[in-house]
Amino acid sequence: MDGHGGRPHKAERDALTVEVGYALVSAVFLAGVVFAAVAGPALFLDLPGLLAALLLRVGLALAPVVFVVRVVCVLVDYRRGAQPSQPGRTSPDS
């Protein structure tokens, strides 16, 4: 926003749109990786029925949690104005 309580400028809206898109895409990717890592053995290996069911359920429970945590973390960092570190340069606050 412009600091006076008014409407955000187009550049700020565009930046927020990009950040939300990044948060969603990276969260889907990370949730998929977590699901594949946890439930993958149950899908591709011949495991006992109870262990396979347990791995699938844990994978199905962890994936949405990872998704939500990733989206929240990215958007909170964006709201705080966190910038990636730039080796060899001073931070804007110094």
Side-chain angles (χ1 to χ4, degrees), residues 28-53:
V28 166
F29 177 77
L30 191 58
V33 168
V34 168
F35 176 78
V38 173
L43 297 173
F44 297 111
L45 299 176
D46 189 24
L47 298 175
L50 183 61
L51 181 59

Side-chain angles (χ1 to χ4, degrees), residues 13-90:
R13 287 193 316 261
D14 291 346
L16 180 60
T17 301
V18 168
E19 200 67 24
V20 168
Y22 168 72
L24 293 173
V25 169
S26 66
V28 166
F29 177 77
L30 191 58
V33 168
V34 168
F35 176 78
V38 173
L43 297 173
F44 297 111
L45 299 176
D46 189 24
L47 298 175
L50 183 61
L51 181 59
L54 178 67
L55 287 175
L56 281 171
R57 288 184 183 182
V58 170
L60 286 172
L62 276 179
V65 171
V66 168
F67 177 86
V68 169
V69 168
R70 176 65 180 168
V71 169
V72 169
C73 287
V74 169
L75 295 179
V76 166
D77 283 347
Y78 174 75
R79 184 167 177 111
R80 285 186 189 157
Q83 297 178 350
S85 63
Q86 300 172 346
R89 297 184 186 176
T90 59

Side-chain angles (χ1 to χ4, degrees), residues 1-13:
M1 302 227 305
D2 62 4
H4 299 292
R7 293 176 40 153
H9 296 290
K10 181 166 177 20
E12 292 168 336
R13 287 193 316 261

